[in-house]
Amino acid sequence: MKIMKFLLGIMLLVTVNAYGEERPVKRVEVPIGEDGVQRVEIIGGGYYFDPNHIVVKNNVPVELVLTKEAGFTPHNIIIKAPDAGINVNIDMDTKPASVKFTPTKPGKYAIECDKRFLFFASHKEKGMVGVLEVIE
Ligand SMILES: [Cu+2]
């Protein structure tokens, strides 16, 4: 009986995590720097990207400067939009790393972290998602 209650508790925990809370949207319109690059810093943590809605101009180079918050939990950042010249898949580290690309097609593209611990919900499912919006 006790073990059943315990298992039920675990299941509930996993379910709640799987459908995670909605994260507040933090929208940033990335300015074009003096060097002509749209540079933006993104922090990855448990379980969020900050900012999580990034607006950039089409056909202008973009540089994402990525940093992971301290701690043992691994995070990555994935943006798969090969049609738009974007193919990002990189592990985040506490030491900043940058990724460069030039978007070629306006649209809204998903940002996500697909790390997970064992059989638990992936970080994406826990709300570690964002949007890269490419505008004209
Ligand atoms: Cu993550």
Side-chain angles (χ1 to χ4, degrees):
M1 217 40 213
K2 232 177 191 170
I3 189 89
M4 284 303 286
K5 257 189 187 161
F6 175 72
L7 285 176
L8 212 69
I10 295 263
M11 273 167 64
L12 206 69
L13 208 76
V14 172
T15 309
V16 167
N17 271 337
Y19 297 102
E21 319 94 80
E22 283 281 305
R23 303 280 152 183
V25 174
K26 185 171 164 190
R27 186 176 186 275
V28 171
E29 288 192 28
V30 182
I32 301 174
E34 280 175 21
D35 57 357
V37 177
Q38 311 181 82
R39 193 171 286 105
V40 59
E41 290 182 21
I42 304 174
I43 296 167
Y47 298 95
Y48 63 86
F49 290 111
D50 180 16
N52 57 6
H53 187 158
I54 294 151
V55 183
V56 294
K57 286 216 161 57
N58 195 30
N59 288 316
V60 178
V62 173
E63 180 178 353
L64 309 178
V65 181
L66 309 164
T67 314
K68 187 179 86 73
E69 73 172 4
F72 293 112
T73 310
H75 295 292
N76 62 12
I77 181 164
I78 298 173
I79 314 172
K80 270 206 185 84
D83 286 0
I86 306 164
N87 192 1
V88 174
N89 187 342
I90 180 173
D91 282 329
M92 298 178 100
D93 196 348
T94 47
K95 208 179 85 197
S98 40
V99 183
K100 290 178 191 171
F101 57 86
T102 301
T104 55
K105 194 172 138 192
K108 284 186 180 180
Y109 307 108
I111 302 174
E112 59 187 58
C113 169
D114 73 352
K115 298 283 184 189
R116 69 167 71 222
F117 179 64
L118 300 175
F119 53 85
F120 291 97
S122 71
H123 294 182
K124 174 190 174 183
E125 290 166 312
K126 290 181 180 186
M128 194 166 180
V129 293
V131 175
L132 175 71
E133 185 176 356
V134 179
I135 58 171
E136 284 291 358

